[in-house]
Amino acid sequence: MNVELCRGTPFWSDEGFDEIVMGCLRAKNERVDDPFLYRLYLLTGKQYEGVDYQRCEESWNYLKQRCPTWPGFDASRRNPVRGPEIMVQIAETHAEL
């Protein structure tokens, strides 16, 4: 698991994060962050100011319909039990900056 520095969201190496970002940029899709922000919400239950979580959920569901086998949908990657561990990793990543 890594932390995407600009967004502060977790991603795993097999999720094709770079490919997702590039595909969204090519399509001029501004929702590239949404699934990752929504997953962070599922992990932690925390909402951050300025994030439209309804839109994030819509993007999550849209992606899930079209790419149901994406590793990012694995239940272990959105399990709230892992939330504290993920938050520690995010904090440690930011502390290193």
Side-chain angles (χ1 to χ4, degrees):
M1 200 275 307
N2 297 297
V3 175
E4 201 288 319
L5 295 177
C6 292
R7 295 160 184 87
T9 57
F11 71 95
W12 283 256
S13 59
D14 64 345
E15 292 179 349
F17 182 81
D18 293 338
E19 291 85 356
I20 291 171
V21 171
M22 293 309 296
C24 285
L25 289 173
R26 278 193 297 269
K28 297 183 179 164
N29 181 332
E30 297 174 359
R31 293 186 169 207
V32 66
D33 300 337
D34 291 1
F36 298 97
L37 289 167
Y38 189 68
R39 180 172 58 193
L40 182 60
Y41 166 69
L42 293 175
L43 281 162
T44 66
K46 294 181 182 181
Q47 292 189 355
Y48 296 93
E49 188 177 330
V51 176
D52 182 345
Y53 285 95
Q54 182 176 356
R55 184 182 107 159
C56 290
E57 183 177 13
E58 290 170 3
S59 298
W60 175 269
N61 291 332
Y62 180 88
L63 185 60
K64 195 167 190 176
Q65 285 179 347
R66 281 146 187 84
C67 306
T69 60
W70 177 56
F73 293 126
D74 186 278
S76 69
R77 297 183 187 184
R78 53 188 163 86
N79 186 336
V81 171
R82 295 196 67 196
E85 166 198 346
I86 298 296
M87 292 306 291
V88 166
Q89 287 181 290
I90 290 171
E92 288 174 353
T93 299
H94 287 148
E96 291 177 8
L97 296 178

